[in-house]
Amino acid sequence: MKTVAVVLEEMGRPAPYAKSKPLQLEDLELTPPDECEVLVEIVAAGLCHSDLSVINGSRPRVMPMVLGHEAAGIVREVGPGVRDFQPDDHVVFSYVPVCGRCTCCQSGRAALCERGAVANTEGSLLSGKRHFSRSNGQELHHHLGVSAFSQYTVAAEESLVKISKSLPLDKAALFGCAVMTGVGAVVNTAKIQAGQSVAVFGMGGVGLSSIMGARASGAFPIVAVDLLDAKLALAKKAGATHAVNASDHDAVEAVKNITGGGASVTFEAVGSEVVLAQAYAATARGGKTVCMGLPHPSKMLSIPAVSLVAEERTILGSYMGSSVPRRDIPRFIDMYEAGLLPVDLLQSSTLKLSDINAAFDDLAAGTVARQTVLM
């Protein structure tokens, strides 16, 4: 069948992207789903810094690629052997296909699925296959098993989570990355307890979701740190009790003053080794520093090594919120529907596929939380 999709031919074109146009709309061929694969009509897809990091080359991937990884849609066809899905099911994508059989999956660490990581690195589905191609026969790679910036996509059934049809799909898409990562980091990685103090550095979609998760977990105080007052105002609506503009104040000292010496848990949601060092410096003795952002692979973190022992400090990485998608996406949706997670705050604007280059300029400028492509 035919599909219209956004293709990234090469990484590293200069900003502004509205001018350099690294993303091009193309008419592509999409082959039918094979064994244990599913054809999905994409209804909504979010723009995320993980997409931007592929565009600018800080998160290298194989090229050319159909980009996008945060999405929701409707099942249109299932391949042989698919047991959990049928046509007309509503689904959210998981950007790590969870095989369920590797050591990590069997130990409850689905975000680290070994087979999923290999497939994502190779730009294929879990089976090793690719379904997008140009009219000349050239295959294109899948982005994280999803390739959300396309009218239709084929995914492994292990990349899908069935959801209720009552949830609008433009809201559902946000649970595939921003909410799963941010809330998951709070409840799965850090395991926040009521009354613990929290500071979150970076108020994008993931950072704001962490604020929501911290509030739902009973944390206090909850300090939001960012460079823009507009995003800090959004953080207050999401549940932050205090806001610090890092362009006007020493963020580390401000967090220490608010929390009485340092936050019990700090979260870094920027993807910067400099901000991660600030988050670590703002963490209390005996506390945890959780890194959710993805710095460039060449960047290194420098901290006082003695503090790890003398202050019993912990640094934790959190990929995909340490989530098990089929467990966590439905429960986070339940929390949203119960009024515990104000996820609607994340959606800054909606757009068409044809507007996507300019939308990534807005994302790079840090002025938006989550923009959603509606197909």
Side-chain angles (χ1 to χ4, degrees):
M1 63 179 294
K2 297 282 188 180
T3 186
V4 176
V6 169
V7 177
L8 178 65
E9 186 71 27
E10 60 179 358
M11 297 176 288
R13 288 194 186 180
Y17 301 123
K19 182 178 180 180
S20 63
K21 298 187 183 303
L23 302 172
Q24 296 291 327
L25 279 180
E26 295 190 28
D27 294 321
L28 301 178
E29 299 287 342
L30 183 66
T31 55
D34 290 322
E35 185 84 17
C36 298
E37 294 176 349
V38 178
L39 172 69
V40 180
E41 179 182 359
I42 302 291
V43 174
L47 274 64
C48 175
H49 270 277
S50 294
D51 304 312
L52 180 61
S53 66
V54 178
I55 295 170
N56 65 27
S58 63
R59 188 71 170 165
R61 295 287 176 185
V62 287
M63 295 288 119
M65 173 174 282
V66 178
L67 208 61
H69 71 282
E70 179 185 82
I74 302 172
V75 173
R76 294 307 185 197
E77 182 182 342
V78 298
V82 173
R83 296 180 297 175
D84 297 334
F85 302 95
Q86 59 186 9
D88 295 326
D89 282 346
H90 286 201
V91 293
V92 171
F93 288 80
S94 161
Y95 60 88
V96 175
V98 180
C99 78
R101 299 193 296 274
C102 70
T103 300
C104 290
C105 285
Q106 291 183 347
S107 62
R109 306 191 71 180
L112 301 181
C113 175
E114 295 161 6
R115 291 181 60 213
V118 170
N120 283 355
T121 299
E122 293 178 347
S124 71
L125 301 188
L126 204 57
S127 63
K129 296 176 181 177
R130 297 170 183 82
H131 287 266
F132 293 101
S133 64
R134 288 177 165 138
S135 58
N136 62 5
Q138 180 189 19
E139 280 191 336
L140 284 84
H141 297 92
H142 294 253
H143 186 211
L144 302 180
V146 181
S147 292
F149 300 148
S150 175
Q151 292 175 317
Y152 295 89
T153 192
V154 171
E157 65 174 327
E158 293 89 346
S159 293
L160 300 174
V161 177
K162 185 177 177 179
I163 62 169
S164 168
K165 294 180 181 179
S166 64
L167 179 64
L169 288 169
D170 63 324
K171 300 294 188 295
L174 301 172
F175 288 84
C177 179
V179 177
M180 179 166 58
T181 300
V183 178
V186 171
V187 301
N188 297 326
T189 311
K191 297 179 173 62
I192 292 289
Q193 298 178 6
Q196 284 190 303
S197 56
V198 164
V200 182
F201 288 69
M203 291 298 107
V206 171
L208 288 168
S209 295
S210 295
I211 294 286
M212 297 177 197
R215 181 183 183 183
S217 299
F220 184 87
I222 302 170
V223 186
V225 181
D226 201 272
L227 298 172
L228 298 175
D229 287 335
K231 296 180 82 172
L232 291 171
L234 200 58
K236 295 292 286 288
K237 292 180 180 178
T241 60
H242 298 76
V244 174
N245 189 318
S247 63
D248 298 331
H249 301 88
D250 182 323
V252 173
E253 289 305 312
V255 170
K256 286 183 174 180
N257 289 336
I258 293 167
T259 58
S264 299
V265 185
T266 63
F267 297 86
E268 187 277 338
V270 178
S272 163
E273 77 286 357
V274 174
V275 178
L276 178 55
Q278 292 175 338
Y280 184 81
T283 306
R285 293 168 61 86
K288 301 174 183 176
T289 304
V290 180
C291 180
M292 303 178 292
L294 289 167
H296 190 281
S298 67
K299 300 300 182 180
M300 306 297 288
L301 173 66
S302 178
I303 59 170
V306 68
S307 63
L308 291 171
V309 176
E311 299 178 11
E312 292 194 354
R313 303 275 289 279
T314 304
I315 300 176
L316 296 167
S318 182
Y319 189 59
M320 203 170 73
S322 305
S323 295
V324 179
R326 291 194 181 181
R327 176 196 70 192
D328 290 329
I329 288 176
R331 68 169 172 160
F332 294 161
I333 290 174
D334 287 344
M335 291 172 69
Y336 162 70
E337 292 180 334
L340 297 175
L341 299 174
V343 172
D344 293 351
L345 293 171
L346 297 181
Q347 197 169 60
S348 303
S349 61
T350 59
L351 61 138
K352 300 177 181 178
L353 277 178
S354 56
D355 301 324
I356 200 163
N357 282 298
F360 273 109
D361 284 326
D362 293 336
L363 182 61
T367 57
V368 292
R370 258 315 185 262
Q371 301 167 95
T372 306
V373 176
L374 300 181
M375 301 299 173

